[in-house]
Amino acid sequence: MSEIVSQKELSCQKLYEKDSYSKECNASITEVREDAIVLNQTIFYPQGGGQPGDIGQVELNNGSILQVLNTTFDQDGAILHHVDNIPEDLSNKPVKASINWDLRYKHMRMHTCLHLLCSLVEADVTGCSIGAEKGRLDFDLQESTLDKQQLSDQLNELISKGGDVLAEWWPSNKLADEPALVRTAKVSPPVHNGQVRLIRVQGVDLQPCGGTHVNNINEIGEVYVRKIEKKSRHNRRVNVYFK
């Protein structure tokens, strides 16, 4: 990652990394694109790692509302809040940004659930998708060794016991010394200013992740594995749903 990219990323404070439960924040518009705005700080999670970008709204100081339809990274690492319209003269305007909390919280619950699933399957992850009602992980497995009822029971047992979920920051060279923590087969963890963010589910799992998560796994609620699919010779897809 180039120094220019790092500076762009650092120019916007990622408040969602510090507190996934923040629902709104005050910010200033620092850049205006064709269909998006950039803020100096944001609680909106940008699409990535299988987790959808947040939606919500941005309120201008004159009381008008911009609907945020999606949140993404651009190729240089800037966080784009895609809005339904771009009024004139938005630069440097103060705003109040608010996410759709109900949707975000479902994404948080499912994302944390998929970390639990990852801890139960001894195979690299080749794909991930997180939704409000369901999620899935693809595993690099040749044989059909997974049982959906057994995985459902194991997931719900972990969830019922509870356990804190904590974010940690490691120097990238420390993570390089422990390659087994990286479970994604084709995607390397993003490095920001020489640091890598990891999510620790106490006593269960530890892996690099930039997403948003619940504070305790008992917040996930009851889930079940609906189906396990063979997507290719080396790919088994496990689909998890909320009950």
Side-chain angles (χ1 to χ4, degrees):
M1 182 175 295
S2 69
E3 183 63 24
I4 293 177
V5 173
S6 298
Q7 290 302 320
K8 283 198 172 186
E9 289 181 318
L10 290 171
S11 67
C12 177
Q13 294 186 56
K14 302 174 184 176
L15 302 181
Y16 57 84
E17 289 186 335
K18 300 177 182 178
D19 183 5
S20 296
Y21 290 78
S22 292
K23 301 175 181 64
E24 62 182 33
C25 72
N26 295 318
S28 296
I29 298 173
T30 60
E31 189 178 349
V32 180
R33 305 283 182 93
E34 182 178 352
D35 70 337
I37 58 176
V38 180
L39 305 177
N40 68 325
Q41 62 178 8
T42 187
I43 55 170
F44 281 74
Y45 178 80
Q47 178 181 333
Q51 181 172 332
D54 280 326
I55 63 174
Q57 67 179 34
V58 171
E59 181 179 353
L60 306 179
N61 58 358
N62 64 4
S64 60
I65 301 293
L66 306 180
Q67 297 295 329
V68 179
L69 308 177
N70 195 13
T71 310
T72 65
F73 282 114
D74 74 0
Q75 62 183 2
D76 292 328
I79 297 176
L80 304 181
H81 305 75
H82 298 272
V83 293
D84 59 345
N85 71 94
I86 300 287
E88 294 183 1
D89 191 26
L90 278 181
S91 297
N92 300 315
K93 292 291 180 69
V95 299
K96 182 171 76 172
S98 306
I99 60 172
N100 180 321
W101 169 248
D102 289 341
L103 183 61
R104 155 71 82 79
Y105 190 54
K106 289 178 180 178
H107 291 160
M108 289 164 56
R109 291 166 56 210
M110 181 53 70
H111 199 158
T112 307
C113 178
L114 293 185
H115 277 231
L116 301 185
L117 176 62
C118 189
S119 75
L120 296 173
V121 180
E122 292 295 328
D124 287 337
V125 174
T126 57
C128 172
S129 179
I130 297 161
E133 304 300 331
K134 63 181 180 179
R136 54 94 172 162
L137 287 179
D138 297 346
F139 293 99
D140 185 2
L141 289 170
Q142 289 191 32
E143 303 297 330
S144 298
T145 57
L146 303 176
D147 180 83
K148 62 182 182 180
Q149 186 60 56
Q150 182 182 35
L151 285 175
S152 296
D153 293 342
Q154 290 174 317
L155 285 171
N156 287 311
E157 182 178 4
L158 287 172
I159 292 166
S160 67
K161 290 179 179 178
D164 291 336
V165 182
L166 305 169
E168 303 178 5
W169 288 91
W170 286 17
S172 58
N173 58 357
K174 180 180 178 181
L175 181 64
D177 292 336
E178 299 193 45
L181 294 180
V182 180
R183 299 294 302 276
T184 50
K186 299 180 180 179
V187 180
S188 298
V191 178
H192 304 289
N193 200 30
Q195 300 282 308
V196 179
R197 183 174 183 260
L198 292 90
I199 295 298
R200 181 185 297 275
V201 182
Q202 288 193 327
V204 178
D205 187 63
L206 175 65
Q207 61 177 292
C209 180
T212 59
H213 293 270
V214 294
N215 284 338
N216 193 289
I217 58 177
N218 58 22
E219 296 178 52
I220 296 170
E222 194 171 2
V223 298
Y224 69 103
V225 176
R226 183 171 176 177
K227 57 183 176 180
I228 299 174
E229 304 172 87
K230 179 180 179 181
K231 304 303 292 185
S232 69
R233 182 180 176 186
H234 287 273
N235 194 12
R236 295 297 186 275
R237 176 168 295 175
V238 181
N239 299 273
V240 183
Y241 287 69
F242 290 125
K243 278 197 173 182

